[in-house]
Amino acid sequence: MRLGTLSTAAVSLAATLVALPTAASYAAPAPTERPAVLERVVIGRSVEGRSITAWHLGEPGRKKVLLIATMHGDETKPRQILGALRDGRPIRGIDLWVVPVYNPDGLAHGTRKNAHGVDLNRNFPYHWADLDGSYESGPEPVSEPETKAMVRFLRTIRPGRIISFHQPLNGVDTDTKNRSFSSKVADHLDLPRKAFTCGGVCRGTMTSWFNHRFSGAAVTVEYGARPSLHRMRSTAPHQLMQLFDAGRH
Ligand SMILES: [Zn+2]
């Protein structure tokens, strides 16, 4: 872990994790406008300098879960799920992190890729390959600032479970490390089970790198092209709470 390259907020996060292991001493006062939020951490910046923000919710010391959305900037709906979790009542029973907008430049420009024209989900170091076109993988593994930020963040918090939200393939990837977890996710989110094989081997994806490198399990969830706002803001957040045996105060 190279703390020297982390932002001030992330350094204080890492220091806090080491120094204050108990939930009671760790929880910071929550801002009244977002009572569920324990802390806000800028984990890095995009090519164009936009903040990549992680929000810490729930109860530290419980099972640690990370939810990520908008890795592809033109897949804009699932970030509403994470925003609803962040903006609602305090969450109990789970140590939850959410990154609603992983690719802020892509979101700003309405593009799948980052501002360098790189598909962030082909830029991770596991089975990286030099791909061009719509899966442009960058000049080398972890070439992009967004990838560097996520690699550092995952090495710092080490979640037990990750769900990476995408569109529009409408299904949960069950061709993955922890199939029982994937099946459980599909059942709870009311999505079909599918095998997203990337047409063979998945090259440089975040989930495959995490699943290879860490003991936890990451799974890809794809909603359809036009999930309803009600499903994103109400149904899915509730389903996620049930999935992880969590609830809200
Ligand atoms: Zn995607």
Side-chain angles (χ1 to χ4, degrees), residues 69-79 101 103-114 119 134 165-168 222-227:
T70 333
M71 182 183 224
H72 295 134
D74 56 351
E75 300 166 8
T76 63
K77 301 300 184 189
R79 78 181 198 280
V101 183
N103 178 4
D105 293 350
L107 179 65
H109 301 301
T111 58
R112 172 182 176 87
K113 302 171 190 173
N114 76 349
D119 182 343
S134 48
F165 289 96
H166 293 260
Q167 291 175 269
E222 295 253 1
Y223 278 95
R226 291 183 192 81

Side-chain angles (χ1 to χ4, degrees), residues 67-205:
L67 308 177
I68 300 169
T70 333
M71 182 183 224
H72 295 134
D74 56 351
E75 300 166 8
T76 63
K77 301 300 184 189
R79 78 181 198 280
Q80 303 272 359
I81 302 170
L82 282 56
L85 290 168
R86 177 196 62 197
D87 298 341
R89 298 194 306 281
I91 291 167
R92 58 178 167 75
I94 184 177
D95 185 358
L96 181 62
W97 287 88
V98 299
V99 178
V101 183
Y102 176 27
N103 178 4
D105 293 350
L107 179 65
H109 301 301
T111 58
R112 172 182 176 87
K113 302 171 190 173
N114 76 349
H116 284 154
V118 173
D119 182 343
L120 298 177
N121 210 23
R122 297 294 181 277
N123 192 234
F124 281 78
Y126 185 64
H127 283 173
W128 181 89
D130 188 3
L131 306 174
D132 300 318
S134 48
Y135 299 114
E136 170 60 54
S137 56
E140 61 185 20
V142 203
S143 59
E144 302 311 299
E146 296 90 348
T147 314
K148 289 182 171 74
M150 187 57 71
V151 165
R152 282 198 304 267
F153 182 57
L154 293 176
R155 284 178 174 157
T156 302
I157 70 162
R158 295 178 175 268
R161 295 284 183 271
I162 296 177
I163 298 178
S164 179
F165 289 96
H166 293 260
Q167 291 175 269
L169 300 178
N170 195 48
V172 176
D173 189 10
T174 50
D175 183 22
T176 184
K177 175 171 155 183
N178 188 329
R179 294 181 184 214
S180 66
F181 174 56
S182 294
S183 296
K184 194 176 165 189
V185 172
D187 290 347
H188 277 81
L189 295 182
D190 197 20
L191 285 164
R193 303 175 188 192
K194 291 186 177 174
F196 299 132
T197 59
C198 309
V201 178
C202 286
R203 299 290 187 177
T205 65

Side-chain angles (χ1 to χ4, degrees), residues 42-54:
V42 176
I43 66 169
R45 295 197 177 271
S46 66
V47 170
E48 295 181 343
R50 293 182 173 89
S51 301
I52 303 169
T53 302

